[in-house]
Amino acid sequence: MRRPTIKDVAELAQVSLKTVSRVINDESGVRARTRARVHEAIAELDYRPDPSARSLRSAQPYALGVVYDNPNPYYIISVQNGVLAACRETGYGLQIHPCDSSSPLLAADLIDLVQGARLAGLVLAPPMSERMELVSELVAHGIKLVRIVSAAEDPKDGSPCVWVDDRDAAYDITEHLIQLGHQRIGFLWGGKSHRSSWERYKGYAQALADYGIGEDENLVLPGDYSFDDGFRGARRLFALPDRPTAIFGSNDEIAAGVLAAAKSSGMHVPYDLSIAGFEDSPFSKQSWPTLTTARQATEEIARHAAYRLIAELRRETDQPVEAPANEGFSPILVVRGSTAPPRPAGGPGGA
Amino acid sequence: MRRPTIKDVAELAQVSLKTVSRVINDESGVRARTRARVHEAIAELDYRPDPSARSLRSAQPYALGVVYDNPNPYYIISVQNGVLAACRETGYGLQIHPCDSSSPLLAADLIDLVQGARLAGLVLAPPMSERMELVSELVAHGIKLVRIVSAAEDPKDGSPCVWVDDRDAAYDITEHLIQLGHQRIGFLWGGKSHRSSWERYKGYAQALADYGIGEDENLVLPGDYSFDDGFRGARRLFALPDRPTAIFGSNDEIAAGVLAAAKSSGMHVPYDLSIAGFEDSPFSKQSWPTLTTARQATEEIARHAAYRLIAELRRETDQPVEAPANEGFSPILVVRGSTAPPRPAGGPGGA
């Protein structure tokens, strides 16, 4: 069977080729009734515009790339879904590109990716988004991008971004624990290649300082954003002679590890130990007890970032998109079952 | 600054346009020294071939699409990572396309996607992969695809696939519970639009039959592959006058819901209730107790499926890839802390 052409559509709809073309390209200047007739003819013939011809006309690449290096599936899926929402609303495809943020070849790889796959631009997730030498190299190669970064305010570094105020939310979590009566609060770091780890630590330290609680360096342990580091960190904290009554894990994965360590030591959470995480992952709602955490609107953040990029891409075209500015998002404290006042001293202990 | 053209390269390298074109397209017939001179000129000018022109020449699409409708991030990320591994080894990009499998417009959407984005082909995850009328329509539109399906054997329906023997693994899980001494085993269904739900139920029913245990329809409840359905289903089973001593949730999300329901009812798992899931998700390793489940090699399955497709796409090119056949994968029983022998009758009960 011969593939129907634009000419067949024009004949069936009894309009000119130019009118069909206008309808296909969603241009103005075609009356509603004519437009409907063309659409009917397209449907009847099962006509589909030749995509390569279409691309030549617009000469516009059609997919964004989302670049991430993060072991957390929930975070990644949320970023993907947010970017996808913007892509679908504006007609872009989405290519995914997980990568090794520590690779010395990363810049070259990303340049190859964008040029080889003709991507319109990139959405960079942390920690790539926070490595300015990488960002500069990509920009120098003419690559359009937007970054999702952790920062307490607009970094105003000349590169478009959406920033997440992790410090503020970490402050709120720590304050919540202090207000419950905790004085000895453990802190388990995320990976130090992530700006968010530093910001969350700063929020923790600032809250302690504001409430006049001296920071005990034994209670602050390095690690990564992983369950295993949460588990190991918690066991180290449990072994201290004067162990903490609460532990703030830098994300929900870490908090999940702390919870498992507490249960495997026979502790009752929250009575023997309060635990807080960060992210509002599904785990935090499904664990027993459920986890106190900070809700990050990751999907909305990613959608906003993608729009920031698309507005830039469309700025000089005939299909402009309203240009959003850099914008900040603040995660919100969510109090659940894993935090409570500490047991009075001398009361029944855990393991 | 004007973008350098192929003419600038030819001038600087003092060769003909044709020679530059040959070098760019890696064709033979250019002396090594000339080739080097062209490469130097390309580097000096930072010339990059116009990708849309390149695509016209090679006329080869360069990305696969992966199509899924599944609320489970771990499963999706594993599928994506497996397909990506194959894409990277063979030079394809990967576009993602989550969709609503119940949409009546799905076939048209996917045809538009493939044609609009010039995708080379699709990897269909369940349940889309199991709707043969959809698959047929895509194939009729010339779309190359491979399917990941649930089946006890090669479906041999003329469409390339990788099959997962859910029935066999569900049999093993049920047998494990029976061998521990359980006779009243609850079964919580996954979504009935997924073939895997039926296959897992069949495995459960077959094991009961083989061990001479009559099926009690009160113990078998419908649902979806979700935590909430696991929670609700468990509460209904707990309310039975003769409640089950073990519950088999059709995936780990359901099992997580059962675990939360058990804990919120004050039960001790596994002593008051044994629980088994299916998938070997991170949750199953991180919960307390850890979950008995079946390990699915999702990433490997997806990688194999992508290779099956790529071999098909490359069959008649000068870069053939060895063509793997349809292949089956069997999930493996993983016994963890959530299953144990039932309490002897008359012993201390739960809530």
Side-chain angles (χ1 to χ4, degrees):
Chain A
M1 202 179 65
R2 189 173 65 89
R3 188 190 166 107
T5 67
I6 190 171
K7 242 172 122 173
D8 299 324
V9 175
E11 265 169 35
L12 186 61
Q14 293 182 292
V15 297
S16 69
L17 283 182
K18 188 166 183 180
T19 301
V20 177
S21 167
R22 277 187 172 160
V23 171
I24 290 169
N25 292 301
D26 224 2
E27 289 167 23
S28 56
V30 183
R31 279 183 307 173
R33 193 183 284 175
T34 311
R35 197 177 286 274
R37 215 160 65 220
V38 171
H39 279 301
E40 272 162 31
I42 287 173
E44 190 170 333
L45 294 167
D46 195 21
Y47 166 77
R48 292 173 195 278
D50 178 23
S52 63
R54 206 148 125 205
S55 130
L56 267 189
R57 266 200 307 278
S58 67
Q60 198 185 49
Y62 49 80
L64 305 187
V66 57
V67 178
Y68 51 84
D69 173 17
N70 191 314
N72 181 342
Y74 289 115
Y75 180 78
I76 296 171
I77 288 283
S78 298
V79 169
Q80 290 180 354
N81 286 346
V83 175
L84 260 170
C87 284
R88 287 185 171 174
E89 284 155 11
T90 53
Y92 287 90
L94 178 61
Q95 285 208 17
I96 57 173
H97 198 71
C99 63
D100 173 4
S101 61
S102 67
S103 162
L105 298 172
L106 184 56
D109 279 353
L110 291 178
I111 293 164
D112 277 356
L113 170 75
V114 171
Q115 297 180 337
R118 282 167 291 166
L119 298 182
L122 297 179
V123 177
L124 297 186
M128 280 73 65
S129 55
E130 296 162 341
R131 285 178 47 194
M132 284 312 286
E133 82 293 353
L134 172 69
V135 171
S136 302
E137 190 164 351
L138 298 179
V139 170
H141 277 83
I143 292 174
K144 305 275 191 195
L145 55 85
V146 66
R147 303 170 302 136
I148 299 170
V149 300
S150 175
E153 56 186 4
D154 190 343
K156 290 190 183 133
D157 50 17
S159 167
C161 74
V162 169
W163 78 93
V164 181
D165 191 352
D166 290 288
R167 193 192 304 183
D168 187 56
Y171 186 102
D172 290 348
I173 287 175
T174 312
E175 184 174 50
H176 161 68
L177 293 168
I178 294 169
Q179 290 179 344
L180 285 172
H182 296 277
Q183 296 272 323
R184 293 189 59 72
I185 302 171
F187 181 85
L188 300 180
W189 276 76
K192 291 201 175 170
S193 67
H194 287 254
R195 199 73 234 143
S196 56
S197 299
W198 296 84
E199 292 292 325
R200 290 174 196 177
Y201 171 72
K202 282 182 195 164
Y204 161 80
Q206 189 61 51
L208 291 184
D210 286 357
Y211 280 84
I213 300 171
E215 197 182 318
D216 178 347
E217 62 182 20
N218 292 319
L219 296 185
V220 177
L221 297 180
D224 210 336
Y225 280 132
S226 74
F227 177 88
D228 288 346
D229 277 339
F231 192 92
R232 276 193 294 263
R235 300 290 281 233
R236 280 180 58 191
L237 293 174
F238 297 165
L240 292 174
D242 189 9
R243 71 186 193 200
T245 58
I247 298 179
F248 173 11
S250 288
N251 74 350
D252 287 345
E253 286 266 310
I254 295 175
V258 175
L259 184 62
K263 288 185 175 173
S264 71
S265 301
M267 293 181 187
H268 262 97
V269 176
Y271 308 110
D272 300 322
L273 180 75
S274 282
I275 302 174
F278 199 110
E279 185 184 5
D280 196 34
S281 68
F283 181 91
S284 70
K285 296 166 206 143
Q286 299 178 358
S287 64
W288 187 263
T290 51
L291 283 179
T292 291
T293 189
R295 181 176 298 149
Q296 278 187 123
T298 305
E299 201 163 319
E300 182 53 25
I301 290 164
R303 184 172 168 278
H304 192 91
Y307 261 111
R308 183 93 180 75
L309 174 61
I310 291 166
E312 188 65 24
L313 296 171
R314 291 275 176 86
R315 205 151 49 92
E316 286 164 17
T317 71
D318 53 356
Q319 298 171 296
V321 166
E322 207 177 318
N326 283 357
E327 191 170 324
F329 288 81
S330 289
I332 294 162
L333 173 66
V334 182
V335 176
R336 296 209 185 93
S338 65
T339 50
R343 276 189 200 279
Chain B
M1 203 178 68
R2 188 175 67 87
R3 187 190 168 108
T5 65
I6 190 170
K7 242 171 124 173
D8 300 324
V9 175
E11 265 168 34
L12 185 63
Q14 295 184 291
V15 298
S16 69
L17 284 182
K18 187 165 184 178
T19 301
V20 177
S21 167
R22 276 187 175 161
V23 172
I24 290 169
N25 291 300
D26 226 3
E27 289 169 22
S28 57
V30 183
R31 278 182 310 171
R33 194 183 284 174
T34 311
R35 195 177 288 273
R37 216 159 65 222
V38 172
H39 278 301
E40 272 161 32
I42 287 172
E44 192 171 330
L45 295 167
D46 197 21
Y47 165 78
R48 294 181 190 273
D50 177 24
S52 62
R54 205 148 124 206
S55 131
L56 268 188
R57 267 201 306 280
S58 70
Q60 198 185 50
Y62 51 81
L64 306 187
V66 56
V67 178
Y68 50 85
D69 172 18
N70 192 313
N72 180 344
Y74 289 115
Y75 180 78
I76 295 171
I77 288 284
S78 299
V79 168
Q80 289 179 354
N81 287 345
V83 174
L84 260 170
C87 284
R88 287 186 169 173
E89 285 156 8
T90 52
Y92 287 89
L94 178 62
Q95 287 208 17
I96 57 174
H97 198 72
C99 63
D100 174 2
S101 61
S102 67
S103 161
L105 298 172
L106 185 56
D109 279 354
L110 292 177
I111 292 164
D112 276 356
L113 169 75
V114 171
Q115 296 180 337
R118 281 166 291 165
L119 298 182
L122 297 179
V123 178
L124 299 185
M128 281 72 65
S129 56
E130 296 162 342
R131 285 178 46 194
M132 284 313 286
E133 82 292 355
L134 171 68
V135 171
S136 302
E137 190 164 351
L138 298 178
V139 170
H141 277 84
I143 292 173
K144 304 276 190 194
L145 55 84
V146 67
R147 302 171 301 136
I148 299 170
V149 300
S150 176
E153 58 187 3
D154 189 344
K156 290 192 183 132
D157 49 19
S159 169
C161 74
V162 169
W163 78 93
V164 181
D165 191 351
D166 290 287
R167 192 191 305 183
D168 187 55
Y171 186 102
D172 289 348
I173 286 175
T174 312
E175 183 174 52
H176 160 68
L177 293 168
I178 294 169
Q179 289 178 346
L180 285 171
H182 295 279
Q183 296 270 324
R184 292 189 60 72
I185 303 171
F187 181 86
L188 299 180
W189 275 76
K192 292 201 177 170
S193 67
H194 287 256
R195 197 74 234 146
S196 57
S197 299
W198 297 84
E199 291 293 324
R200 291 174 195 176
Y201 170 71
K202 282 183 196 164
Y204 160 81
Q206 188 62 50
L208 291 185
D210 286 357
Y211 280 85
I213 300 171
E215 198 181 318
D216 178 347
E217 62 181 21
N218 292 318
L219 295 183
V220 176
L221 296 180
D224 209 336
Y225 280 131
S226 76
F227 178 89
D228 288 347
D229 277 338
F231 193 92
R232 275 193 292 264
R235 300 289 280 233
R236 280 180 60 191
L237 293 175
F238 297 164
L240 292 175
D242 188 8
R243 71 186 193 200
T245 58
I247 299 180
F248 174 11
S250 288
N251 74 351
D252 286 346
E253 286 267 310
I254 294 175
V258 175
L259 185 61
K263 288 183 174 173
S264 72
S265 302
M267 293 182 189
H268 263 98
V269 176
Y271 309 110
D272 299 323
L273 179 76
S274 283
I275 302 175
F278 199 110
E279 185 185 7
D280 196 35
S281 68
F283 181 91
S284 70
K285 297 165 205 144
Q286 300 177 356
S287 64
W288 187 262
T290 51
L291 283 180
T292 292
T293 186
R295 180 175 298 148
Q296 277 188 125
T298 305
E299 201 163 320
E300 181 54 26
I301 290 164
R303 184 172 167 277
H304 193 92
Y307 261 111
R308 183 93 180 75
L309 174 60
I310 291 167
E312 188 68 24
L313 296 170
R314 291 276 176 86
R315 206 151 48 94
E316 285 163 19
T317 71
D318 53 359
Q319 297 171 295
V321 165
E322 207 176 319
N326 285 356
E327 192 170 322
F329 289 80
S330 288
I332 294 163
L333 172 67
V334 182
V335 175
R336 296 209 186 94
S338 65
T339 48
R343 277 190 199 279

